[in-house]
Amino acid sequence: MAKQLLVSLAFVIGFITILGAVPVNATQYDTTYSHYLQQPAPAVPAFTLPGGSFKLHVMDGITIESVQAVSILHGPYNLEINGKNGNIVTVRTPLDIIPDTYFLLIKTNKGTLVLPNGLKVYKKWPRVLKIAWVSDTHVTSSSKIGFVCGVYFQRNIYSLEKLCSDPIPLHSVVATDSAYTYWAMRRADLIINTGDVVDSSNDLIGYNIVYNIMERTAADGQTHLSIKGNHDDPPIIYSQIIGPPVFYVTVGKFLIIGLDTGGDRGWPTMNEIKWMENVLNEHQNYTPIILYHHPYFFAPRWNYLGGVITGLNPNNSNDWKRLENYVGNYWKGNLTVARRFLEDVVKYNIPLTMSGHIHHDMYWRYVDEEGHVHYFLTLTATGAPDKESNPPSRPGYSPTWYGTNLVVISENGSVTMPLINIKFQGDKVRSDFMSIPVPQEFIVFRHNTKFGTAAKFINEFNHSVRGPITFVIPAGAKIDPQHTNITYRVLGERQIGNNTYLMINATVPKGVSQIVITKGTDTEKPVLQIAYLQPSYPRPGKTSVIYFTAKDNLGIRDLYAQVLDESGKPVTYGKVDRFPAESGSGKPDNTFYTVELPPLNPGRYKIEVVAVDFYGNKAVVTKEINIKSPTPTPSSTTTSTSSKKSVCGPAALVALAIIPLLLRRRK
């Protein structure tokens, strides 16, 4: 008995010793800014110069104890708390801080906040602001996919495969990350997102995905700014994770104001307009830029693409009646607000407003009575396939694509979009495309696991894309040069908060390339399992969908299906004989995929689902099908056309949701 007590006591002492080795005062990091601040936020940073100051708008009950600024390449810098006025704390940067985009580590009485994109330090204020513009990213944790090949875009893959030999399913998550990555490499002064950052305002996972994209963008050293759209309404989660719905910031002599046009409302409230007027009155020597989601001018009944309006004064009742014809149906819901806003555009000489929402490029140039020029610009969707296709679905329709743009504004109010040419016919715009096809022609597929990080690049431009790019990596992972075929130079590696970041200066060549960052050599092949074919017995001349799971310890580079006929020859449809897999989810740990198979003639076929990882390890699973000729039936018992339609929409989602059950049943 005594011996057992001694053994038990030794075990307890050993356990206490192990516990004692754990640092009890280790910093616990929080990334939810709204627990601590109203502004700055992950999508609304502060701006300053070395030795300059900025303000923290602090939540009730929060006491700021210390503030640090750190980036992958610079810092950490201890910032001086310079004063407090109510809930506003003034913080000063040191004179020797190097210009960069910084994470703020804010220690408070209730924890430490890690705030990416919290602070942008300029060497000197820009007199010309280069804005990389994205909009309507519609990030979702479910499936939102379009199909692209170069400049071509279609919502249905079989409308594209007749035009293209290598169609790419582009999920909203991949599209958004690709656009932010591209512009971080190109180095604009600021990335601006004009709303609908997610597809559903209650999608917490979707907002966390957006946060992670913005976090990597900040780690790249690229500053960004976002407003909310109608899909972010009500802005409960948006305000908790992304930023405030209404705000203003100053960048030197540029004043950027973000307004909230609501959900179904479609215009800012009169209280917002009055608040905007107060901000404009307090910054009378600044060059204003106004951001809002629903476009102000929008007249699709006569010209979807925009035009030029000259010499009309909203203060004049007769002129206003003419201007009403150009005001979009959204803002027409409250003509009092609409008129007041345009009066403010003239009164305060606002040169630029930017919007989204319609998933189409649109350009309006309004010249007031005094000859001042005001640009009302609207961008196509960067991450959503809910738009007209390219080529268009019907004659006379204006085509579009997944797009972004570069807008350049100077302190004197001049505005240009240097990457594109806008065509006019009289006072009407005749350019179908006023954006560039990014992400369509520059796509990044990232994979993050405990084993490593890998990325596949598709660059369809006629030139390389060069610039910094940052990866979140597991501690101890290194670049594998034998399985990396982009040119790179490591710039820095640092742990900030709970993440380890690796920044490289990369040259992404034309074509398909990859980078692999791992803790060791990957010798495991992917794991594949077919779950379901819908319909179970495909009909001749009709498409069918195969559902399956696919996973890998590092990431799957290529995932597709082939259909082989009885002789073993691949079946082609148009120019395609490899049918790409579509992601069943936008979640980072997604393992569910589908492939839409082409219409087939009667006969026996073998479906091969193929997965290849970044080390060339290959897995293949097969399923045999027999498509029989239809049996003639009496006309009195003929099944209606509607009952023969293949599964789509909600039914497809249900089929996808039951994959785990099907697999469990099969096991």
Side-chain angles (χ1 to χ4, degrees):
M1 183 70 177
K3 185 176 180 180
Q4 290 178 339
L5 285 173
L6 286 173
V7 172
S8 300
L9 181 61
F11 176 79
V12 172
I13 292 172
F15 186 66
I16 292 173
T17 303
I18 293 171
L19 287 178
V22 178
V24 295
N25 294 322
T27 302
Q28 297 297 312
Y29 294 112
D30 192 351
T31 58
T32 306
Y33 88 98
S34 57
H35 291 166
Y36 306 90
L37 304 174
Q38 293 178 333
Q39 203 174 317
V44 185
F47 299 85
T48 192
L49 300 176
S53 61
F54 63 96
K55 298 184 186 325
L56 302 177
H57 298 256
V58 181
M59 291 293 189
D60 291 337
I62 296 296
T63 301
I64 305 295
E65 297 177 358
S66 66
V67 182
Q68 282 188 328
V70 62
S71 70
I72 295 178
L73 302 181
H74 305 115
Y77 297 95
N78 293 317
L79 309 187
E80 178 186 354
I81 297 175
N82 217 28
K84 181 180 179 182
N85 183 9
N87 283 38
I88 297 178
V89 176
T90 302
V91 180
R92 184 176 297 277
T93 60
L95 284 168
D96 63 348
I97 191 170
I98 297 175
D100 201 349
T101 301
Y102 285 95
F103 286 63
L104 292 178
L105 303 182
I106 304 173
K107 186 177 180 181
T108 78
N109 60 321
K110 295 189 178 180
T112 299
L113 170 66
V114 179
L115 181 60
N117 193 49
L119 178 65
K120 171 67 175 180
V121 179
Y122 284 98
K123 182 178 180 180
K124 59 181 180 180
W125 291 123
R127 302 193 66 179
V128 174
L129 201 61
K130 296 178 181 178
I131 300 171
W133 186 10
V134 303
S135 189
D136 294 83
T137 47
H138 286 271
V139 167
T140 176
S141 61
S142 60
S143 182
K144 199 172 187 73
I145 292 175
F147 302 91
V148 301
C149 183
V151 297
Y152 292 126
F153 154 73
Q154 294 288 324
R155 283 174 286 182
N156 182 304
I157 192 168
Y158 289 109
S159 298
L160 185 64
E161 288 184 329
K162 296 176 182 178
L163 304 169
C164 171
S165 61
D166 191 18
I168 303 167
L170 192 54
H171 192 282
S172 63
V173 172
V174 175
T176 302
D177 182 46
S178 300
Y180 275 81
T181 298
Y182 177 84
W183 287 110
M185 294 180 74
R186 290 291 303 271
R187 271 300 184 264
D189 292 308
L190 187 63
I191 295 176
I192 285 180
N193 188 329
T194 46
D196 281 358
V197 299
V198 300
D199 199 48
S200 175
S201 65
N202 63 359
D203 189 351
L204 176 60
I205 295 175
Y207 277 114
N208 282 323
I209 293 170
V210 172
Y211 176 90
N212 291 334
I213 292 172
M214 291 180 171
E215 182 182 47
R216 283 198 303 267
T217 303
D220 280 333
Q222 177 64 66
T223 317
H224 52 86
L225 194 69
S226 291
I227 62 168
K228 67 168 283 290
N230 59 297
H231 280 252
D232 302 304
D233 197 83
I236 298 169
I237 301 178
Y238 180 94
S239 298
Q240 291 173 347
I241 295 177
I242 305 300
V246 178
F247 63 86
Y248 79 88
V249 296
T250 58
V251 185
K253 286 298 181 181
F254 294 97
L255 170 66
I256 304 175
I257 297 176
L259 298 179
D260 179 9
T261 51
D264 296 331
R265 189 176 70 237
W267 67 86
T269 65
M270 184 58 77
N271 285 337
E272 281 184 62
I273 296 297
K274 292 177 180 178
W275 169 83
M276 180 188 76
E277 291 168 349
N278 289 334
V279 172
L280 289 165
N281 284 323
E282 293 170 358
H283 299 82
Q284 293 192 24
N285 295 322
Y286 288 71
T287 302
I289 302 167
I290 313 297
L291 313 176
Y292 49 89
H293 186 62
H294 296 80
Y296 183 84
F297 287 131
F298 182 34
R301 58 191 174 278
W302 70 272
N303 183 13
Y304 194 72
L305 304 171
V308 180
I309 305 169
T310 306
L312 300 179
N313 183 353
N315 287 296
N316 181 293
S317 296
N318 290 329
D319 284 356
W320 173 244
K321 287 182 180 179
R322 295 174 61 189
L323 284 165
E324 278 185 32
N325 293 323
Y326 301 96
V327 175
N329 289 334
Y330 312 110
W331 287 67
K332 267 187 180 168
N334 192 321
L335 285 173
T336 302
V337 167
R339 183 172 183 177
R340 178 79 163 261
F341 179 78
L342 194 58
E343 289 171 348
D344 287 339
V345 167
V346 174
K347 177 181 177 180
Y348 297 100
N349 193 20
I350 298 170
L352 175 63
T353 80
M354 301 166 67
S355 61
H357 186 64
I358 62 171
H359 296 196
H360 203 290
D361 298 316
M362 192 165 61
Y363 174 102
W364 290 92
R365 190 168 70 223
Y366 167 52
V367 185
D368 64 28
E369 272 191 326
E370 297 183 6
H372 296 134
V373 181
H374 314 275
Y375 292 88
F376 292 74
L377 306 180
T378 302
L379 185 69
T380 184
T382 301
D386 309 327
K387 48 187 172 280
E388 184 55 58
S389 56
N390 177 36
S393 60
R394 286 167 281 189
Y397 274 58
S398 178
T400 190
W401 52 26
Y402 290 84
T404 57
N405 215 334
L406 182 68
V407 179
V408 179
I409 179 171
S410 64
E411 280 186 346
N412 65 10
S414 65
V415 177
T416 60
M417 287 187 283
L419 300 182
I420 51 103
N421 293 314
I422 299 174
K423 299 176 183 177
F424 288 90
Q425 183 179 4
D427 62 351
K428 295 175 182 158
V429 171
R430 289 304 181 203
S431 295
D432 283 318
F433 301 109
M434 288 167 277
S435 59
I436 63 172
V438 171
Q440 283 194 202
E441 293 197 325
F442 184 83
I443 306 172
V444 186
F445 296 90
R446 296 181 190 249
H447 301 268
N448 296 90
T449 69
K450 294 179 180 180
F451 182 70
T453 297
K456 174 183 176 181
F457 300 90
I458 299 177
N459 176 17
E460 296 188 345
F461 289 112
N462 290 320
H463 56 80
S464 299
V465 177
R466 299 180 178 88
I469 181 171
T470 297
F471 300 92
V472 178
I473 64 172
K478 302 296 179 185
I479 296 176
D480 183 343
Q482 292 186 345
H483 292 87
T484 296
N485 59 356
I486 66 170
T487 304
Y488 68 91
R489 178 169 60 90
V490 175
L491 298 177
E493 180 179 336
R494 173 169 281 177
Q495 182 172 339
I496 303 176
N498 297 318
N499 287 335
T500 300
Y501 301 93
L502 176 69
M503 176 188 279
I504 65 172
N505 196 59
T507 299
V508 179
K510 180 181 178 182
V512 180
S513 57
Q514 68 181 45
I515 183 172
V516 175
I517 310 165
T518 67
K519 297 165 120 181
T521 302
D522 180 11
T523 59
E524 298 180 21
K525 66 180 182 180
V527 178
L528 287 174
Q529 190 169 10
I530 293 175
Y532 193 67
L533 181 66
Q534 179 64 37
S536 301
Y537 301 97
R539 296 185 301 267
K542 302 292 184 181
T543 62
S544 56
V545 179
I546 188 164
Y547 296 83
F548 59 96
T549 63
K551 55 185 177 180
D552 186 74
N553 62 323
L554 177 60
I556 298 174
R557 186 190 64 202
D558 301 307
L559 188 59
Y560 58 90
Q562 285 188 300
V563 181
L564 307 179
D565 62 20
E566 291 183 86
S567 67
K569 181 181 178 181
V571 173
T572 61
Y573 185 85
K575 299 181 178 182
V576 178
D577 62 2
R578 292 184 174 185
F579 306 99
E582 304 169 29
S583 174
S585 166
K587 300 175 184 177
D589 59 351
N590 170 65
T591 58
F592 301 141
Y593 297 89
T594 64
V595 172
E596 185 174 0
L597 301 173
L600 299 172
N601 295 322
R604 293 183 178 275
Y605 299 90
K606 182 168 70 173
I607 302 169
E608 291 187 344
V609 178
V610 182
V612 183
D613 69 15
F614 284 84
Y615 277 76
N617 301 310
K618 184 177 181 180
V620 181
V621 292
T622 63
K623 182 177 180 63
E624 294 185 355
I625 59 174
N626 183 13
I627 299 181
K628 298 180 180 180
S629 299
T631 303
T633 56
S635 59
S636 60
T637 59
T638 299
T639 305
S640 67
T641 302
S642 60
S643 67
K644 291 186 177 183
K645 291 184 179 179
S646 61
V647 67
C648 63
L653 295 177
V654 170
L656 188 60
I658 65 173
I659 284 178
L661 298 177
L662 293 168
L663 291 175
R664 192 178 300 122
R665 180 180 178 184
R666 179 171 179 175
K667 288 179 181 179

